Amino acid sequence: MEPLYEEYLANRGTVVKPYYWLSFSLDCSNCPYHIRTGEEARVSYTEFYQIFGFPYGPTYPQTKHLVFYELKTSTGSLVQKGHASSCTANNTHPESMLFETNGYFDSAIYNNDGIRHIILYSNASPCNEADHCCISKMYNFLRTFPDVTLSIYFSQLYHTDPDFPASAWNREALRSLASLWPKVTLSPISGGIWHFLLNNFVSGVLGATVFQPILTGRALADRHNAYEINAITGVKPYFTDVLPQTKEDQNITALAALESYPFNSTFPGQSPQGTSGQPQPNLTPDLRVPVVFVLVPFRDLPPIHVGQNPYKPRNVIRHLNMPQMSFQEDKDLSRPPIAMPAETVEITEQSVSSNKADEKKKKKKGKK
């Protein structure tokens, strides 16, 4: 069958119509070119902040979806990088476009059998609602290409809250997708991955801005995402780079930031832009205290080969569920993990020998 997409050469890469029948639309600013490859995939810092919620924390309500992606070989060599954006005119998510049968990824791997690993960096976790079927399309795609592995990183969970009508369906679909581990991994974007995205997918970000500290609000949101995805799927995130260790005088600030998540659209009284209209990434007002964390180097791992029939859902018992964590337990982020009390008993050879000697004396006295 003929592919659904149309691809055109641009100045710094290519632009792609995910569906050949798309045309320019007043209802969608990205139509018809929702997929962009190479350096065409870079977005402005302002757009990155508004959609991904970096560096200050999640932004609500979120109506746009954006997915950065990398296609790699089994040795980790980059074949292609790009992004896919949602279509507001047709209410289509980027994952649905990318994993469409006879769509862009389908054709890319069919024409380049060296691609063995797909990495997605999304502002929202994939859903499986009737209008999108993102996870179902991913599942079918992986069945078509059994040698390809998939890693998904997200900045916030999408429609998994129990109050949302389709949350049960989305949570079940996430569990089914996570059951394909190690062929599929689900992890929150955190730590060094934020710096990687700034360096590779955001335009106009130079120097120290690329390696700015992860702020408290963002780090706590990433930690919350790790806890939630584990609670939903029963599988511990494959990659988490959040170890907040704030000072004592920063505990109140950290708690306030945590309690504000995810209900506030942004921190009170703050704006992502200055008077010049340009983003101000280096501002650190009251609630934006940098988090001191241990940076785990981000490594591109080759695909993990799995056994026969890796698609059959299964219970993953390799990981333990994370303990129930309340907001109150996060008041003191510098406190070490809670452990069971243990009694230490010191036994020396001298005390054992002296006890044996006393017993021998008692037996001799008894004989007399």
Side-chain angles (χ1 to χ4, degrees), residues 250-263:
Q250 296 174 353
N251 289 341
I252 296 177
T253 299
L255 179 61
L258 179 61
E259 291 176 343
S260 69
Y261 173 82
F263 306 107

Side-chain angles (χ1 to χ4, degrees), residues 9-321:
L9 187 65
N11 292 332
R12 301 181 300 162
T14 64
V15 293
V16 183
K17 288 183 181 181
Y19 306 105
Y20 62 83
W21 58 82
L22 287 181
S23 60
F24 290 96
S25 171
L26 296 177
D27 297 323
C28 180
S29 59
N30 292 321
C31 267
Y33 305 114
H34 285 282
I35 301 174
R36 294 176 177 269
T37 71
E39 291 304 298
E40 289 289 333
R42 290 186 181 268
V43 300
S44 68
Y45 185 90
T46 300
E47 184 177 4
F48 183 69
Y49 162 75
Q50 291 173 345
I51 297 179
F52 278 80
F54 182 86
Y56 306 126
T59 56
Y60 289 86
Q62 184 55 260
T63 57
K64 293 184 178 181
H65 293 250
L66 182 64
V67 173
F68 300 116
Y69 70 82
E70 292 181 298
L71 305 180
K72 295 192 172 186
T73 66
S74 59
T75 60
S77 298
L78 180 65
V79 176
Q80 185 189 92
K81 74 172 185 178
H83 87 227
S85 58
S86 58
C87 179
T88 54
N90 296 286
N91 190 28
T92 308
H93 287 175
E95 296 93 339
S96 180
M97 299 176 187
L98 291 172
F99 291 93
E100 189 78 69
T101 302
N102 296 318
Y104 192 69
F105 276 0
D106 205 342
S107 178
I109 296 180
Y110 179 80
N111 292 306
N112 188 338
D113 58 4
I115 297 173
R116 288 292 181 268
H117 192 38
I118 299 174
I119 308 175
L120 304 182
Y121 309 94
S122 176
N123 71 307
S125 59
C127 77
N128 210 40
E129 295 166 21
D131 292 338
H132 311 291
C133 298
C134 301
I135 293 179
S136 291
K137 291 181 180 181
M138 289 179 178
Y139 197 92
N140 292 332
F141 176 89
L142 293 171
R143 290 180 64 90
T144 304
F145 300 100
D147 294 330
V148 176
T149 59
L150 175 64
S151 297
I152 302 172
Y153 298 89
F154 59 90
S155 65
Q156 63 190 64
L157 289 159
Y158 180 75
H159 289 177
T160 58
D161 188 271
D163 294 335
F164 190 79
S167 64
W169 185 253
N170 288 334
R171 294 165 77 96
E172 180 60 32
L174 286 171
R175 279 192 290 271
S176 179
L177 189 63
S179 73
L180 299 180
W181 184 94
K183 186 179 179 67
V184 177
T185 60
L186 288 161
S187 307
I189 298 175
S190 59
I193 299 182
W194 286 115
H195 300 144
F196 171 81
L197 294 178
L198 284 173
N199 190 50
N200 291 276
F201 291 99
V202 181
S203 59
V205 180
L206 302 173
T209 304
V210 175
F211 300 102
Q212 61 182 296
I214 307 300
L215 304 185
T216 302
R218 182 67 262 173
L220 291 176
D222 298 341
R223 182 179 178 186
H224 177 81
N225 287 337
Y227 171 77
E228 284 295 319
I229 195 63
N230 173 246
I232 292 171
T233 65
V235 181
K236 188 177 180 181
Y238 176 71
F239 179 90
T240 306
D241 184 8
V242 180
L243 296 175
Q245 298 174 351
T246 58
K247 297 180 181 179
E248 291 294 330
D249 59 356
Q250 296 174 353
N251 289 341
I252 296 177
T253 299
L255 179 61
L258 179 61
E259 291 176 343
S260 69
Y261 173 82
F263 306 107
N264 294 339
S265 61
T266 186
F267 288 106
Q270 303 298 337
S271 171
Q273 296 185 355
T275 56
S276 62
Q278 297 297 323
Q280 304 293 325
N282 293 325
L283 295 178
T284 55
D286 292 342
L287 292 182
R288 302 174 184 182
V289 181
V291 172
V292 179
F293 63 92
V294 178
L295 177 61
V296 179
F298 176 57
R299 298 184 298 273
D300 296 326
L301 299 179
I304 304 174
H305 295 285
V306 296
Q308 295 181 352
N309 193 18
Y311 308 101
K312 183 179 179 181
R314 56 187 173 83
N315 294 326
V316 179
I317 59 174
R318 170 181 173 272
H319 302 284
L320 297 177
N321 287 337

